[in-house]
Amino acid sequence: MKLDQLVAWLRETQAERLTQLWHIADRTRRRHVGDDVHLRGLVELSNRCVRQCAYCGLRAQNARLQRYRMSAEAVVQSAWDAVAHGYGTVVLQAGEDPGLDAGWVAQTVRRIKSETPLAVTLSLGEREEHELAGWREAGADRYLLRFETSNRRLYQRIHPPRPGGDADRFPLLQTLRRLGYEVGSGVMIGIPGQTYEDLARDVQRFAELDLDMIGVGPYLCHPETPLADPRFRPETDSRDQVPGDELTTYKVIALSRLVCPRANIPGTTALATLNPATGRELGLRRGANVVMVNLTPPRYRALYEIYPDKVCVHEHPAACGACMEDRIRLLGRGLGSGRGDSPNYTARRGEPAGRI
Ligand code: 5AD
């Protein structure tokens, strides 16, 4: 899709036109990835982080946050919880924590892969190529690494590199692809300083990267971060600034579906934070086909505070799963079984398409 078309959709306010967009996105979703909604079990295994991202509550300098790192035993137990709930995938996510030693991660992945039928998705930040390769060899199937924004200047401002490190996540996404991972990325919507044109370019980038998974959600301000300080925020003309609201998030989900029809796209937790009652459902009706269910042990949940007011932090994992399953049935959609690979990935690898 051309840049000006994307910008026009992102700025669209007419209800009828938007209904059209939801309709086309929903139809495209059904045709390419089917009606089933795949649930992923999310395990937030460490909230330790060495980075200084200006938007994220896990940033190293946030001294107010009590830090935790789960034991291998607890991670494997959570993976078993995913099996017990009937999920086909466990997502292991953490801050960028060098204490998650590469060998430890590989060993944990190996255990999950040998003891369970699960697909394993890793979301552990920017790591060395040899580490990513080792995890792939250990059996990890997928990797999530959002590029956050394609505006380089904005990115550099909100995402300082590690000393001596590479500032850019795009080469890393290529590396992940080359290593044979199913690759996911995405952005935040409404970062202070992000313009409509920036966001339109982000969507174009999804297509250029030929992503298998796309996660997008609203930027939510965390008080213990530099972006909470108005003096830190980049200046933008208010007419160009993208709002970090629900409507814009649905637009980006719908447009992502149109540019990457075979990708797996979640209705994200950040979206549910803006609208706990129906946010994820509306996402699922406007292009999304995946939901992540939080399986992090209850005592750690509230500590994985990327942004404030995350939903379901006080729920028991079993209650979360049952609640999501009810919501999906009410939409008239089925629950996915099996791994739920993206057809984009299976086609690239020349494998027969899975059941959709
Ligand atoms: N608001 C919304 N999303 C955030 N993330 C990090 N901080 C915030 C925030 N304040 C998202 C980033 C990251 C993902 C794990 O969480 O996009 O990649």
Side-chain angles (χ1 to χ4, degrees):
M1 216 182 294
K2 292 218 179 73
L3 193 73
D4 51 357
Q5 270 179 303
L6 287 166
V7 171
W9 275 123
L10 294 172
R11 287 185 178 275
E12 185 60 63
T13 53
Q14 270 188 48
E16 273 163 47
R17 294 275 296 150
L18 288 172
T19 304
Q20 232 177 359
L21 177 61
W22 313 145
H23 186 73
I24 306 169
D26 199 42
R27 211 176 49 202
T28 307
R29 186 269 308 150
R30 181 174 308 130
R31 182 176 311 150
H32 293 276
V33 295
D35 267 335
D36 284 354
V37 176
H38 296 281
L39 298 182
R40 318 297 198 194
L42 174 66
V43 184
E44 297 155 329
L45 67 150
S46 163
N47 71 350
R48 295 175 183 268
C49 189
V50 291
R51 304 301 292 267
Q52 298 292 355
C53 302
Y55 47 87
C56 181
L58 304 191
R59 66 200 309 273
Q61 272 176 354
N62 182 4
R64 295 214 170 159
L65 186 64
Q66 185 195 332
R67 305 285 174 162
Y68 73 89
R69 187 184 296 131
M70 285 168 63
S71 67
E73 211 48 54
V75 174
V76 174
Q77 182 53 51
S78 296
W80 272 112
D81 292 345
V83 177
H85 287 106
Y87 308 153
T89 298
V90 67
V91 181
L92 305 183
Q93 187 177 84
E96 206 166 296
D97 176 8
L100 294 176
D101 167 73
W104 182 94
V105 173
Q107 192 55 31
T108 308
V109 170
R110 214 170 266 123
R111 271 188 70 187
I112 296 173
K113 293 298 291 186
S114 65
E115 294 178 21
T116 77
L118 295 169
V120 173
T121 304
L122 299 178
S123 179
L124 303 174
E126 298 163 36
R127 301 287 297 236
E128 298 295 330
E129 177 165 348
H130 67 90
E131 299 178 318
L132 299 169
W135 299 342
R136 177 81 186 127
E137 265 166 45
D141 301 276
R142 311 182 185 131
Y143 206 96
L144 302 174
L145 184 73
R146 290 188 180 177
F147 61 81
E148 315 295 1
T149 170
S150 58
N151 176 332
R152 280 190 73 88
R153 272 187 55 202
L154 179 60
Y155 182 74
Q156 281 165 6
R157 185 169 177 81
I158 64 171
H159 190 95
R162 264 172 304 184
D166 199 336
D168 203 341
R169 283 184 170 179
F170 291 110
L172 210 47
L173 288 168
Q174 298 303 345
T175 301
L176 290 164
R177 165 69 40 88
R178 189 160 31 79
L179 291 172
Y181 281 100
E182 199 172 330
V183 178
S185 192
V187 297
M188 287 179 290
I189 297 161
I191 308 165
Q194 184 185 41
T195 67
Y196 283 98
E197 226 175 86
D198 291 336
L199 191 53
R201 280 187 218 285
D202 293 346
V203 175
Q204 286 188 321
R205 260 305 169 75
F206 296 164
E208 285 160 21
L209 292 167
D210 189 25
L211 293 176
D212 305 312
M213 302 174 281
I214 301 172
V216 298
Y219 160 74
L220 300 160
C221 184
H222 190 296
E224 298 296 327
T225 59
L227 272 175
D229 181 349
R231 288 166 302 182
F232 180 87
R233 291 189 204 136
E235 300 241 335
T236 331
D237 188 324
S238 61
R239 284 165 303 183
D240 294 334
Q241 170 68 49
V242 171
D245 62 8
E246 232 185 303
L247 183 64
T248 314
T249 306
Y250 299 133
K251 289 177 182 173
V252 178
I253 289 177
L255 294 168
S256 301
R257 173 60 64 202
L258 299 186
V259 301
C260 292
R262 297 182 299 183
N264 280 331
I265 302 179
T268 53
T269 313
L271 185 53
T273 299
L274 285 188
N275 176 356
T278 58
R280 277 174 297 194
E281 283 89 333
L282 286 171
L284 290 171
R285 291 173 54 189
R286 296 170 175 179
N289 69 320
V290 167
V291 171
M292 296 208 191
V293 181
N294 198 334
L295 290 183
T296 308
R299 63 189 162 127
Y300 299 128
R301 278 187 185 204
L303 299 177
Y304 201 79
E305 198 193 41
I306 296 178
Y307 47 79
D309 303 321
K310 250 174 77 182
V311 289
C312 311
V313 291
H314 303 298
E315 307 293 327
H316 191 272
C320 266
C323 162
M324 249 355 279
E325 288 168 27
D326 286 347
R327 287 163 181 258
I328 289 162
R329 288 208 185 85
L330 281 173
L331 287 177
R333 305 264 285 274
L335 288 172
S337 59
R339 295 164 44 105
D341 286 322
S342 154
N344 201 46
Y345 177 76
T346 41
R348 187 177 329 109
R349 292 178 68 90
E351 290 165 12
R355 190 178 66 83
I356 58 169

